[in-house]
Every structure is written in structure tokens, then in C-alpha cells.
Amino acid sequence: RGGRSGTELRKALVSVWLQCPSITRIYTVGESFEGRELLVLEMSDNPGTHEAGEPEFKYIGNMHGNEAVGRELIVYLAQYLCNQYQQGNESIIDLIHTTRIHLMPSMNPDGFEKAASQSGELKDWFVGRSNAQGVDLNRNFPDLDRIVYGNEKEGGANNHLLNNMKKAVDENTKLAPETKAVIRWIMEIPFVLSANLHGGDVVANYPYDETRSGSTHEYSASPDDVIFKSLAKSYSQFNPVMSDPQRAPCRKNDDDTSFTDGITNGGAWYSVPGGMQDFNYLSSNCFEITLELSCDKFPAEDTLKTYWEENRNSLVNYIEQVHRGVKGFVRDLQGGAIFNASISVEGIDHDITTAKDGDYWRLLAAGNYKVSAYAPGYLTVIKKVAVPYSPAIRVDFELESLVERKEEEKEELMDWWKMMSETLNF
Amino acid sequence: MASKGMGVLLLLGIFAVTVSQISAFPTPAEDDKAVVYNRRLTEERPIQEQIAEADDVKAAVESADTKPAVEPKEVKEAEPEQENDDFTLLKSLAEGQRSKETNETPVRESLEKEPYFPDESDSTKNRRLVEDYDSTKMENDDPESFRQVDGTPLTAEDIVQKIATKIYEEDDRGVFDRIVSKLLRLGLITDSQADSLEYEVAEALQDLITKNAKNNEIEDLGEDYPVTRGDQDDQNPDASMDVTGSPNRRYDEEDDDEDQAAIDDDVDRGEGDDTVDNTWDRESEGEGEEEERSEGERDEGNELSPEDGLQDLQYFPNFYRLLKSLDSEQDAQERETLITIMKTLIDFVKMMVKYGTITPEEGVSYLENLDAMIALQTKNKLGKTLGIPGIIPPTGKTPEDDDNTKAEAAKMQKEYENLKDSTKEEAPSTETRDHPGKSEIYLEAIRKNIEWLKKHNKDEGKDDYDLSKLRDFMDQQVDSYIDKGIIEKGEGETIKRIYGSL
């Protein structure tokens, strides 16, 4: 039983649900420190279930409680999608039928309440940023960047780096309840693409956030630098403010030298350890970017309409990005799903894994790739694929298990012997 | 209170910043201090004995037997001329002593002004006049005991003690100033000796306060302090600064031996010092009072039991305030950290002064600034209290929805007004006020769904939707949502009611 959630927020989400109950569902991933429910509105043609082959997407807003624009925009988005769906907007209908969209307007409702309770002009750069324990949630995630950087040098896994994830989370006393809830959420749902919404600047930021050398500014490319840039641009290009090359920095002395076309590498901008964005990429299959949506962290409510106008197209278009690259199923020869099979792309040092139905989604920019599927006890299969910008290309794998292979070989051997013996008459 | 982590961070920040700009802080050498302390505590001599000595010395002086020992020449030469002045001084001191002796506890010996000869461990700085005088009266382990000009072998700490007591009682630093300026004028002490004297007296003063706090109940402290503060506090914070906020005081707290285990101290404080806490509560309630760094706050610091081990820190009222705000269990760690940081900082400053890196004056102002900065940062970073809720209402439809834009806007306005009026903690009245708004919005949403269903089914050639099935389904969902804390019971009822009425 939770404590109170933001009344207004809940009211808005409930309204969307009441209006579109066949395509929405409200659920909670846990409670904040002060007992507020971390609410999610999911939108899909079959809310509440993962449909095999259907990619999962999420938006998370307001993890810094005083960065309020994202929170409001996510609610507007929910209303928009519901309205457009009912009004027959084909692309929206298609999007909702082919994607499972999860919308969490506020990951830090405690911080938000604190920030919101300040009187008008004094909304502070910091008050309400952290959760109720004073924890900056975007520094609170396990730092997997350090591990992957080590693995880059010395060898080791390039994906799913949090070993014994469940145990690590349950027993880690440093994790805020909000952080824990989101980590469990990430473990449970096979998210493919995601964005977390912030304020205080205007740019689309992509991994890695933490610099390799530890310096404060350093371009820190992930193995998927190419697709990340493309994803970030897919957001910024529809936001006239974000993509405006003449845009002045939010504050006079801001260093936005790393911004181009409205996007920036995280480390090049400034190093952030323990952030949620990189955690997604390094602990799961989810590719996440960070969207900074407003110079003003907590602007007056009459500006929201403008922010919505600036971001609506970007927000919708970014969801559509989940349908890019390569996707399909990995099954065994009997057609059974192989869960946790690895999908490797030659030249990209980051593998993803199949979900419970054997389904996978590998985001890739346009180009030619060699994609291989591997699972322990199975023979690896490699396929060549030409990938367009979009939509995603369907590539399924049927993997022969090693046992089967042995059986086959034995049979072949027997056949040969039989033939020999017949020929030679013994 | 959020941002507690911030509190630690900010203090660390302050620590870093101020350390880089560190200025001198005065304190006598630790060792000396300890030695002096011990001596003072263990070798307090009864008044009568000292009066007797004074009389003896007087007699000796009158017999012109005065003989400066290792005193510098200038003092020797000055002495005969000043003898009379000193004698008068001594006499008045002695008389004052007598008059007060009936009221005094041994601890609180109070004498009128006496000449004070600072205790120096460095023998080259000795300026005692009559060191050789009466060796039997010297402290066993003290080669540096002083005697009055006329030969009375008062020990250094006796003199310090007396002056300190005087200051304590009169709550007037002027006592010290007067004595010292006189001594300086008379050439009996040098400037550096005067400085040392300050330290000594400051320590003694601190000690007195400690003892008195121990001896008296907290209520008594409240009585004592108003007496000592008197009108000075109300009318002229600066005047009270003389007593409580003087650099001497600063020295005191720096020089105090710190008790260990801040946590234990916290526990002690919690148990025994309710009235003290109340005092703090009263004070901290008024945000406006925080605005001024009035010296009165320092007095409040004194009201806190100094024996709680945070003696050094009690002269940082704003820091104390910060600590006090961290009084929950979860904050124990934080609190400990802050205390450790602060104590480390104070120790550091002491060391700086000890090694002469900074002057005493610099040290004082540095620490004064530190506390001021804590006040400022606490105010800024940990937020003000009681603002008007400026909640952004994400209610209603998006601007896209042409159908109900106006109505929704009006609704939103109303909702927002309602919210603005309510306090942060929503009162039940707010709930009921919201209910009409909520019902309307929910009704609208449900209606839209019904309309869509009708249209959708018609388009797809299906049979008309089944309202009762939908109602059952929604009822189920509502119950499930109530269970999970997603919607409140009241809201659920509203929704069910609406469906029931369709």
C-alpha cells in the first residue's frame, strides 16, 4: 500500500486509462522513499502482456524531481496517443499495435513534491533534484562503465555486466528505492529502446556518460556509437529548439562545444558516473539516451504548451525508432524458443540477448552486417544482412544443438558404413 | 528535508573552500594549554591564602624589597614608578576578593582586577617580576609562576582564573581589556604576552562555563544567561558579542578538549536537554531570525549543554542548527560525518595557528565566516519552509484536442486554483473540493471511451459493444488498482458510480 502519489498526475493517467481502457493499463513498479507509487502507463494493443516479437519501449521522466518538463510532456504524450488512436490516426494506431510503450512520468515523485512546493520564482537549481534521502538517482546506479572499460582492455563480457543481478540489487544498501524499482523493472521487461527526460539544458545525450580516463570531458564512444548518434538525432531533428544551430547556450558560460545537430556524447559533455542511461546499455538489451528538454528546470505552467509543441513530433518519432535494425527469433530445430541466446554483430563489440520467446531486436543503422546467433550447446549460425534505415529486417535463426549434431554425424557414419558393407559385401 | 547528502557535501565544499582561503586562528599551543588546564584545575588555591599572600607581598613591597628577577630591563626600570599604581590595583583586587568571597563557590572565585602575568612555556619570554620571590608558593612543576608586582606569588592560573571568573560574572569582556591595557601601558607585559593572556583567560572562561553548566541544571543556565546577556543581547547584539562572541570565546572552544563519541553526546543531548532543544526549536522556527547572524545565536549555543562533547562546535550556531535538523535515525551517519568534518576543520585551524601559519585574528575571522557561510548555504540549499505550492497541473486534454479545449482550460484553471489554495499536505477539504473536478474529468474520459467503442464497433461491423461486460471489466480493474495503491478508494467509487449510471 503506497502513500500518496501526485494527485494531479494520477488523475491525468487515470483519465487516459478511462478513455482508452482497451489499449492502456496503469501499473506501479514500486514505491518512492516516502511511499509514493512509481506509476507507469503502458500503451499497447494488448496491455499487460509481452507479445512475442513486439519490442518494448519506455520513457522515464523527472528522475531529478526539480526537472519537471519531462514529467508533464509524458502525460501529454499519453493523452495525445490515446486521442489520436481514437481519432483514427493510422501511424499512431500502427505504432500502438506494434509496440509496447511504457510511460513513467515521474521516477522521483518525492523530489518533485519538494521542488513544486517552492514559491514561484525561487525554484532552485537543486531543491527537489535528489530523492527524499538526498540521493541523486542519476548517480545511484551501479557503475558498469568502469567494468566494461576494464573488460575492453583485459577481455571479458561486453554485455549484461551486472552479475547475479537480482542478488546484487537486493543486497545493495546504497541503492535508493526508486533506483531499485527501476532496476527490477529493467530486469523484468525486455526493453529495447528508452529515453530518460531531464531539464536544465536542451540536447539529446547518448552513451557513454562516464569518461574512460576519468577526466571531466572526453568523448567516450560506446560500441554502438553509430546507431546512438542516429537515435539521438532522430529526436533532436524534430525539435526546432534542440536542432537549431544558432541556439544560444542556456546560460552565458555554458560549455556546449560538444553539441552538434542537437546531440552530444555524454562523456564529451561532462562525465557522469552511475547514471541510468549507461546502466541500461550495460546491464540489459535496452539502448537509452538522455533528453535534456528545457533550459529552465521547472518553468511556469503556461510554457508547457510550447514545450509540448516543440517536443511532440520528436517524442512520437523516437518511439518509432524501436523498429530499426534487425529483429527476429532464435529457435532450435524443433521450433522451440531459445532464451538468452546471444546475437552478435561483426564489428560491434556489444551483444544482445533473446527474450523468453526467443525474440530479439538489434538496433542498427543502415548498412551491411554479419549477424550471428549463439547459444551454449548450440552451433553458431552466421547470416549476412543488408539493413535499411527502417523498418527492421526480420532475421530468424534455427540453431542446431551440439547433441543433435553429434546424432546426425553418427547417423551419417552409420549410413556410410552400411553402404560400404553392402558394396563390399560384408 | 531533502538534500541531506547535500548537507554533507556542502560542508565538505565549505571545508574545501575555506581551507583554501584559510586565515589565522589564534590558539595557544596545545601542550601549554593542557598543562595550564591541569594546573588550574588541580591547584586552585583558596582565597584566603591568596589574600594573605597579597598582604605579605604588600608588606614586602613597602619594605622596598622588590627585586625583579629575569625581567627585562625596561620593566625593572618602570617598576618603581608604577609600583604605586600596581599597588593600588592590587589593593582593589584584594578588596574585591574579600567582598565576594562569601558568595563564591571555590570554582567561581572572583576577584577584582588583578594584574595578570601570562604563563609562557618559553622561558625566554618570561617577564615575571618577582619570580624569585617566594619559591614555596610556586607550583611544583611550574617554573613560571607569577607573582604580583609586590611579590605575592599568585600562580599564573590563579590569576587567569580570577580574571576569567570576573569576565564570566560580569559578562563583560571589557574587564579583560581594561586589565590588559593597563598592564600594557605599565609595560608589565608585552603585546605577545597580552595575546597569550587572552588565550589563557579565554580557556579559563570556557572552563568556567563548562563547570557551571555541569553544576547547574539547564534551567539554571537559562537563568544565568539572561543575567549575563541581560539587555545587551536585545538591544545591542554586538555588545553581547563581547562576551559570547569574542575571539576569546572562539579560542576557548578551539582549545577545549573534545569529548569523543559524538553519537553518545547526541544521545546525552537527546535525553537530558529537552529544554535546550526547545530553545533551539523556538529559535529555528522563525525563518526570519535565520536571516541575521545575530550574536544572540551564539548565546543560544552556550545554552546547549557544553558537556555534550560538541563544545568546540557550540559556537557555531548555524552548524548546530544544521546538525539539529539531522536528528532522525537515518541521519545519524550524516550527523556524525558533519561533526567529524567540523572538528577536523577546527583542529586544522588550531594547528595552523600553532605553527604560525596564520595569526590568531585571521583564525577567528575565518571561523566566524565559516559559520556564517553555513547559515547561508543551509538556507539556500536545504530550502526554505512553507512556500505556496506551485504544482503544475497536467490535467485535462492536450492542446491538440479541439473538442473540449475551452472547457478543459477552464477546468484546469479551476483545478489549479484549488491546488494553489491548498497546503502542501492535502487537507481533506481539498479532496472534496477536487472531487467535483475529478468526477467531471473521469466522466468525460469514460464518455469518450463509450463513444469510441460505439463508432469502432460500427466501423468494424461488430455487434454493438456490451456495456455490462465493459462495466464488469472496469469494476474489476478499478478494484485491482485500488489494491495496488494506484487509485484511491474514493476515486474508485466515483468511477464505478459513473459506469453504473450509464
Side-chain angles (χ1 to χ4, degrees):
Chain A
R1 279 290 156 80
R4 305 173 48 247
S5 38
T7 316
E8 286 303 303
L9 176 61
R10 210 180 53 228
K11 194 160 57 172
L13 294 180
V14 170
S15 304
V16 173
W17 168 64
L18 288 173
Q19 184 182 340
C20 294
S22 58
I23 57 165
T24 62
R25 179 183 80 109
I26 303 178
Y27 66 97
T28 167
V29 301
E31 286 179 15
S32 72
F33 182 75
E34 287 177 349
R36 295 180 172 90
E37 297 294 342
L38 305 176
L39 294 177
V40 177
L41 179 87
E42 93 168 79
M43 302 187 79
S44 84
D45 55 350
N46 205 348
T49 50
H50 170 80
E51 292 181 310
E54 185 178 63
E56 308 256 3
F57 176 93
K58 64 173 159 52
Y59 274 129
I60 300 183
N62 196 229
M63 78 187 296
H64 290 146
N66 62 339
E67 296 171 13
V69 173
R71 177 185 193 268
E72 309 310 319
L73 292 189
I74 290 176
V75 175
Y76 282 159
L77 179 66
Q79 293 163 345
Y80 176 75
L81 293 175
C82 169
N83 283 329
Q84 291 297 307
Y85 186 91
Q86 289 188 333
Q87 287 170 23
N89 181 326
E90 299 241 349
S91 62
I92 300 293
I93 292 172
D94 190 54
L95 186 64
I96 289 178
H97 283 182
T98 57
T99 326
R100 200 173 165 214
I101 303 165
H102 303 259
L103 304 172
M104 179 190 276
S106 176
M107 182 183 162
N108 184 4
D110 297 349
F112 176 80
E113 290 298 325
K114 195 173 178 76
S117 68
Q118 293 189 97
S119 57
E121 314 79 48
L122 294 176
K123 287 194 169 57
D124 188 88
W125 200 251
F126 286 110
V127 173
R129 174 190 172 89
S130 317
N131 82 337
Q133 302 164 300
V135 174
D136 183 339
L137 298 177
N138 206 30
R139 304 288 184 279
N140 190 229
F141 283 79
D143 185 353
L144 302 179
D145 292 43
R146 281 287 123 234
I147 298 177
V148 84
Y149 290 157
N151 290 355
E152 281 172 0
K153 292 193 203 139
E154 288 147 27
N158 68 14
N159 67 96
H160 291 81
L161 294 172
L162 192 62
N163 294 324
N164 299 317
M165 211 158 163
K166 186 173 188 308
K167 188 161 175 242
V169 170
D170 289 344
E171 294 178 0
N172 187 338
T173 52
K174 293 205 186 91
L175 298 179
E178 295 89 348
T179 310
K180 276 195 180 168
V182 167
I183 295 178
R184 292 199 184 104
W185 193 32
I186 292 171
M187 290 195 288
E188 190 180 303
I189 295 181
F191 290 108
V192 178
L193 182 64
S194 151
N196 85 75
L197 275 50
H198 288 250
D201 218 310
V202 186
V203 72
N205 173 111
Y206 56 90
Y208 287 124
D209 266 347
E210 188 180 341
T211 56
R212 277 186 177 82
S213 67
S215 65
T216 48
H217 306 276
E218 182 183 80
Y219 196 103
S220 309
S222 71
D224 280 289
D225 193 56
V226 173
I227 181 66
F228 269 123
K229 288 213 281 268
S230 176
L231 292 167
K233 261 194 208 138
S234 79
Y235 190 96
S236 68
Q237 73 188 17
F238 290 107
N239 181 323
V241 175
M242 203 179 276
S243 55
D244 178 1
Q246 309 301 327
R247 180 179 76 84
C250 286
R251 287 149 295 272
K252 203 161 58 123
N253 295 324
D254 275 359
D255 178 8
D256 62 356
T257 51
S258 65
F259 296 9
T260 23
D261 299 331
I263 69 171
T264 181
N265 170 261
W269 187 17
Y270 64 96
S271 183
V272 168
M276 185 165 70
Q277 170 194 277
D278 288 3
F279 181 82
N280 269 280
Y281 181 71
L282 293 173
S283 73
S284 78
N285 294 318
C286 185
F287 284 24
E288 178 163 296
I289 67 173
T290 303
L291 298 172
E292 302 273 352
L293 299 178
S294 59
C295 286
D296 191 348
K297 286 190 176 183
F298 206 139
E301 69 275 11
D302 56 10
T303 63
L304 291 176
K305 182 161 187 240
T306 313
Y307 284 116
W308 169 244
E309 291 300 321
E310 287 168 8
N311 284 283
R312 183 191 62 239
N313 294 333
S314 292
L315 287 168
V316 174
N317 182 59
Y318 184 73
I319 302 176
E320 287 167 354
Q321 300 296 301
V322 81
H323 298 286
R324 282 179 69 182
V326 182
K327 68 170 183 182
F329 288 84
V330 179
R331 298 191 179 97
D332 60 25
L333 291 182
Q334 288 70 45
I338 301 180
F339 169 46
N340 240 357
S342 289
I343 300 292
S344 260
V345 178
E346 193 186 60
I348 300 180
D349 189 16
H350 181 83
D351 303 341
I352 55 116
T353 59
T354 58
K356 296 211 176 83
D357 297 306
D359 41 355
Y360 75 93
W361 309 263
R362 205 335 171 167
L363 296 170
L364 290 169
N368 296 319
Y369 299 93
K370 277 194 200 153
V371 182
S372 51
Y374 160 79
Y378 291 85
L379 288 164
T380 303
V381 173
I382 305 176
K383 295 196 177 182
K384 283 188 185 161
V385 191
V387 176
Y389 179 88
S390 84
I393 295 290
R394 175 79 179 258
V395 178
D396 291 343
F397 294 85
E398 279 77 37
L399 300 187
E400 182 181 18
S401 77
L402 291 169
V403 171
E404 280 170 328
R405 180 37 123 170
K406 264 214 189 92
E407 288 300 318
E408 240 176 67
E409 281 170 4
K410 232 193 324 188
E411 255 180 57
E412 270 174 28
L413 201 58
M414 290 308 295
D415 284 346
W416 181 85
W417 179 254
K418 209 158 134 191
M419 182 195 74
M420 285 302 288
S421 63
E422 276 172 6
T423 310
L424 297 173
N425 221 2
F426 48 85
Chain B
M1 262 210 194
S3 307
K4 295 222 172 60
M6 285 300 293
V8 179
L9 284 173
L10 96 86
L11 201 53
L12 281 170
I14 293 173
F15 181 84
V17 165
T18 50
V19 158
S20 63
Q21 313 165 349
I22 199 160
S23 43
F25 181 68
T27 185
E30 283 279 349
D31 298 335
D32 294 342
K33 182 178 27 130
V35 171
V36 168
Y37 248 115
N38 293 338
R39 283 205 299 255
R40 188 180 327 119
L41 291 172
T42 57
E43 289 155 341
E44 191 64 53
R45 288 160 61 228
I47 295 175
Q48 287 82 349
E49 199 180 336
Q50 296 182 36
I51 294 171
E53 283 177 285
D55 289 340
D56 291 339
V57 171
K58 242 195 313 188
V61 163
E62 281 165 357
S63 66
D65 212 70
T66 311
K67 197 168 53 177
V70 266
E71 220 29 69
K73 258 201 181 152
E74 73 236 38
V75 176
K76 246 207 269 192
E77 286 163 0
E79 199 182 314
E81 299 157 15
Q82 297 151 4
E83 224 177 314
N84 288 335
D85 291 347
D86 294 336
F87 177 68
T88 317
L89 191 60
L90 286 172
K91 199 174 177 183
S92 65
L93 275 173
E95 282 166 2
Q97 194 176 315
R98 246 168 263 148
S99 67
K100 289 232 173 167
E101 76 190 45
T102 49
N103 296 337
E104 310 306 301
T105 68
V107 170
R108 278 158 133 243
E109 279 182 344
S110 158
L111 297 176
E112 295 297 341
K113 308 168 187 25
E114 279 181 300
Y116 168 73
F117 301 87
D119 184 24
E120 290 285 346
S121 56
D122 182 354
S123 60
T124 61
K125 290 194 190 164
N126 284 348
R127 38 56 213 96
R128 42 213 114 256
L129 301 172
V130 286
E131 188 184 7
D132 292 343
Y133 244 86
D134 183 352
S135 57
T136 61
K137 299 282 184 18
M138 286 164 86
E139 301 309 325
N140 297 332
D141 54 346
D142 175 23
E144 307 162 352
S145 66
F146 295 99
R147 285 172 275 191
Q148 299 176 21
V149 162
D150 60 3
T152 306
L154 284 172
T155 63
E157 63 258 24
D158 290 340
I159 297 163
V160 170
Q161 190 65 26
K162 279 153 194 162
I163 296 182
T165 309
K166 188 71 189 158
I167 297 174
Y168 177 76
E169 285 180 342
E170 294 197 351
D171 201 66
D172 180 15
R173 189 216 148 100
V175 169
F176 177 79
D177 287 342
R178 285 193 286 278
I179 299 174
V180 168
S181 58
K182 194 164 286 181
L183 293 172
L184 282 168
R185 232 187 356 259
L186 295 174
L188 292 174
I189 59 176
T190 66
D191 283 332
S192 63
Q193 289 161 357
D195 287 342
S196 309
L197 175 57
E198 264 194 308
Y199 310 154
E200 306 289 331
V201 171
E203 289 168 30
L205 203 45
Q206 174 57 36
D207 200 50
L208 272 176
I209 294 162
T210 309
K211 284 201 191 112
N212 286 317
K214 278 192 179 122
N215 291 337
N216 305 326
E217 290 302 323
I218 304 300
E219 297 84 51
D220 288 347
L221 270 182
E223 289 167 17
D224 289 340
Y225 277 84
V227 168
T228 55
R229 271 193 295 196
D231 296 328
Q232 283 179 332
D233 221 26
D234 302 327
Q235 295 158 12
N236 182 6
D238 288 334
S240 71
M241 178 179 176
D242 290 343
V243 176
T244 63
S246 69
N248 296 342
R249 278 262 155 122
R250 291 288 192 205
Y251 303 164
D252 289 343
E253 80 214 33
E254 307 318 307
D255 299 344
D256 269 352
D257 296 320
E258 301 163 12
D259 291 349
Q260 301 307 312
I263 290 183
D264 289 340
D265 297 327
D266 291 347
V267 169
D268 289 343
R269 270 219 349 227
E271 286 170 11
D273 298 0
D274 291 330
T275 50
V276 171
D277 284 346
N278 290 341
T279 310
W280 275 106
D281 285 342
R282 253 182 281 124
E283 288 302 327
S284 58
E285 257 164 47
E287 281 299 329
E289 291 177 14
E290 254 185 14
E291 300 286 346
E292 307 170 273
R293 283 206 328 109
S294 79
E295 303 313 326
E297 292 176 358
R298 294 214 186 106
D299 291 337
E300 290 161 23
N302 297 343
E303 285 185 26
L304 289 167
S305 168
E307 67 187 301
D308 62 12
L310 300 171
Q311 293 178 43
D312 274 13
L313 306 173
Q314 65 173 297
Y315 293 103
F316 295 83
N318 296 303
F319 177 65
Y320 240 137
R321 218 163 269 212
L322 180 59
L323 281 189
K324 179 151 192 312
S325 75
L326 302 174
D327 56 6
S328 65
E329 270 177 26
Q330 294 110 329
D331 300 327
Q333 179 96 8
E334 207 94 316
R335 170 184 255 273
E336 235 187 293
T337 310
L338 283 173
I339 290 169
T340 310
I341 291 172
M342 204 61 179
K343 286 190 174 180
T344 309
L345 187 58
I346 293 168
D347 283 341
F348 182 70
V349 171
K350 287 188 200 176
M351 292 297 284
M352 298 279 279
V353 172
K354 176 178 176 177
Y355 290 112
T357 313
I358 57 178
T359 71
E361 290 75 21
E362 286 171 298
V364 176
S365 60
Y366 158 68
L367 282 164
E368 285 173 354
N369 289 340
L370 177 64
D371 197 51
M373 221 188 304
I374 291 173
L376 194 63
Q377 297 283 32
T378 307
K379 191 174 71 152
N380 288 345
K381 299 259 165 94
L382 297 189
K384 292 177 175 256
T385 58
L386 304 172
I388 300 168
I391 302 169
I392 297 177
T395 56
K397 308 304 174 204
T398 65
E400 300 289 299
D401 198 333
D402 292 329
D403 297 336
N404 301 307
T405 318
K406 264 198 185 142
E408 289 304 325
K411 229 180 282 170
M412 272 171 71
Q413 187 70 17
K414 183 156 158 280
E415 289 295 334
Y416 185 63
E417 304 279 311
N418 289 341
L419 274 169
K420 245 186 171 169
D421 292 340
S422 67
T423 59
K424 200 167 88 158
E425 297 297 317
E426 246 179 80
S429 58
T430 315
E431 285 284 358
T432 51
R433 246 185 301 164
D434 272 352
H435 257 294
K438 244 185 232 174
S439 303
E440 278 172 47
I441 291 177
Y442 289 170
L443 179 61
E444 196 58 41
I446 292 170
R447 249 201 221 120
K448 283 195 164 180
N449 181 34
I450 305 289
E451 275 170 34
W452 177 77
L453 276 172
K454 282 190 182 143
K455 184 169 176 294
H456 185 73
N457 286 335
K458 212 192 300 177
D459 287 348
E460 305 213 341
K462 291 186 192 156
D463 296 332
D464 211 4
Y465 76 101
D466 188 343
L467 178 59
S468 61
K469 239 193 189 167
L470 176 64
R471 188 167 49 216
D472 289 341
F473 171 71
M474 292 307 285
D475 278 0
Q476 234 178 37
Q477 289 287 79
V478 165
D479 285 335
S480 156
Y481 281 8
I482 292 174
D483 268 344
K484 292 179 184 157
I486 292 170
I487 60 178
E488 290 173 359
K489 210 160 176 147
E491 286 176 304
E493 298 303 315
T494 305
I495 294 167
K496 283 186 185 173
R497 216 181 340 109
I498 294 173
Y499 265 103
S501 67
L502 292 170

